[in-house]
Amino acid sequence: MTRRVALLSGGVGGARLARGFEHLEDVESTVVVNVGDDDTFYGWSVSPDVDTVLYTLAGQEGPHGWGRAGDTSVLMDHLAGLGVDTRFRIGDADAALNLYRTMRLRNGDPLHAVTADLAAMMGVRSTVIPATDDRLRTEVRTDPGHWMSFQEYFVLRGHRDEVAEVRFAGEATARPAPGVLEAIADADAVVIAPSNPPLSVWPILAVGEIATVVRDARRVMAVSPLFGGRALKGPADRVLASLGFPPGNAGVAAAYPGLIQDLFIDSADQADVPALSGSGLSVHAGSTRIAEVEQATGLARRMMTLLGAAS
């Protein structure tokens, strides 16, 4: 029996879980990707999370989970030599893809169509859709009271600032990209990837129609991005804490109030199960490390087995 899954994904963690579902032959997966990180660099329209998902599903991701495997940096080196700020590094092959996207968008093609064409060129089996074709940008307010774009906070400033508030510019008018609502409504399960809840998943849910259809979905499962209460990469635990959420996996659960029925946490957090289960969640402890294909596939299979047992 073929199962349908709609995965809400940020960057590396979401892309790796998407790869797990990609390898299950009895699963049809649609990956709805965060675009709050999108920005313009060097005159190009850059969609970092979309590209991370595409590269990972195509087996082309770089050694750190982002960028493109085997890429070179000749262009960045030349730009730096001309005095250009190149702290936002884009490899040469990656630059070609970003330039292609920019050309298509300037010709009037929507982001979802460009993404679908790139996925087809790369031989990706899953359906990959940006959450919206409209301009939606994550902005953070740091503790001293300064608002900045996501990329300024995350890349240019190395996410070292404490985040006091998050907002999503454009959320009032952003509409779901074609196919997003249908994929979520038709899914046997919506899966929230182990992405940073406020910075990678909330931007998707900031599109009001998406939040509504997720809330009405048959079953919503989330995978915690924490291990022993801490994020392996990135500032998920620090951002949750600075926004006032409880520490550890209780904060992850609280970031999705009334939205999820199942929470998958790592074995290192087994002690969290009783308290989390007391809040009405079904909590499943086991390995949630998914850096390798086999690990991601194993976690995806566990989730589908649980879904099958409940049907």
Side-chain angles (χ1 to χ4, degrees):
M1 178 180 178
T2 299
R3 296 283 187 178
R4 294 185 296 273
V5 170
L7 177 69
L8 309 188
S9 173
V12 175
R16 287 174 171 172
L17 185 56
R19 180 171 59 183
F21 286 112
E22 173 96 350
H23 280 75
L24 296 182
E25 294 184 359
D26 57 348
V27 171
E28 294 179 0
S29 61
T30 297
V31 190
V32 179
V33 189
N34 167 43
V35 295
D37 299 8
D38 289 18
D39 212 324
T40 301
F41 285 94
Y42 317 113
W44 306 325
S45 297
V46 180
S47 296
D49 283 2
V50 169
D51 292 348
T52 295
V53 169
L54 290 173
Y55 290 148
T56 301
L57 292 180
Q60 300 176 14
E61 78 280 8
H64 302 293
W66 47 268
R68 201 162 187 169
D71 214 345
T72 53
S73 59
V74 176
L75 179 59
M76 290 293 109
D77 293 342
H78 281 292
L79 286 174
L82 294 169
V84 175
D85 181 353
T86 57
R87 284 177 295 167
F88 192 95
R89 304 288 291 180
I90 300 178
D92 297 328
D94 198 14
L97 185 145
N98 281 284
L99 178 56
Y100 170 80
R101 175 190 295 112
T102 303
M103 294 167 61
R104 290 279 305 271
L105 293 177
R106 288 177 181 171
N107 284 336
D109 295 324
L111 181 59
H112 79 270
V114 180
T115 302
D117 288 346
L118 287 169
M121 293 177 198
M122 295 180 184
V124 171
R125 184 172 70 91
S126 300
T127 300
V128 180
I129 316 177
T132 179
D133 288 330
D134 299 321
R135 190 181 190 280
L136 179 75
R137 297 293 179 265
T138 300
E139 298 175 345
V140 302
R141 180 172 63 83
T142 57
D143 195 38
H146 173 62
W147 283 100
M148 63 181 73
S149 70
F150 175 85
Q151 295 300 348
E152 179 184 355
Y153 156 76
F154 195 84
V155 176
L156 303 185
R157 295 183 58 81
H159 52 77
R160 62 180 178 270
D161 302 281
E162 183 172 286
V163 175
E165 189 177 353
V166 181
R167 68 185 181 191
F168 308 103
E171 67 175 308
T173 56
R175 300 292 306 278
V180 169
L181 298 183
E182 295 83 354
I184 294 171
D186 292 343
D188 295 294
V190 175
V191 176
I192 299 177
S195 303
N196 186 312
L199 299 183
S200 293
V201 179
W202 285 5
I204 300 173
L205 299 174
V207 182
E209 291 173 85
I210 295 180
T212 297
V213 74
V214 170
R215 198 168 298 277
D216 292 338
R218 299 173 193 174
R219 190 164 183 174
V220 183
M221 304 174 168
V223 181
S224 172
L226 305 184
F227 301 82
R230 303 290 297 274
L232 288 182
K233 293 182 178 181
D237 54 324
R238 291 190 289 112
V239 172
L240 286 167
S242 68
L243 291 176
F245 287 93
N249 289 301
V252 175
Y256 305 124
L259 196 66
I260 62 175
Q261 290 83 51
D262 299 90
L263 180 63
F264 286 75
I265 65 174
D266 192 67
S267 304
D269 294 309
Q270 177 75 44
D272 292 348
V273 172
L276 290 170
S277 299
S279 66
L281 280 176
S282 294
V283 184
H284 315 278
S287 177
T288 57
R289 295 177 183 269
I290 53 174
E292 302 300 326
V293 175
E294 295 78 10
Q295 295 172 321
T297 304
L299 177 57
R301 186 176 291 111
R302 278 173 51 208
M303 301 179 87
M304 292 299 94
T305 298
L306 178 68
L307 186 64
S311 61

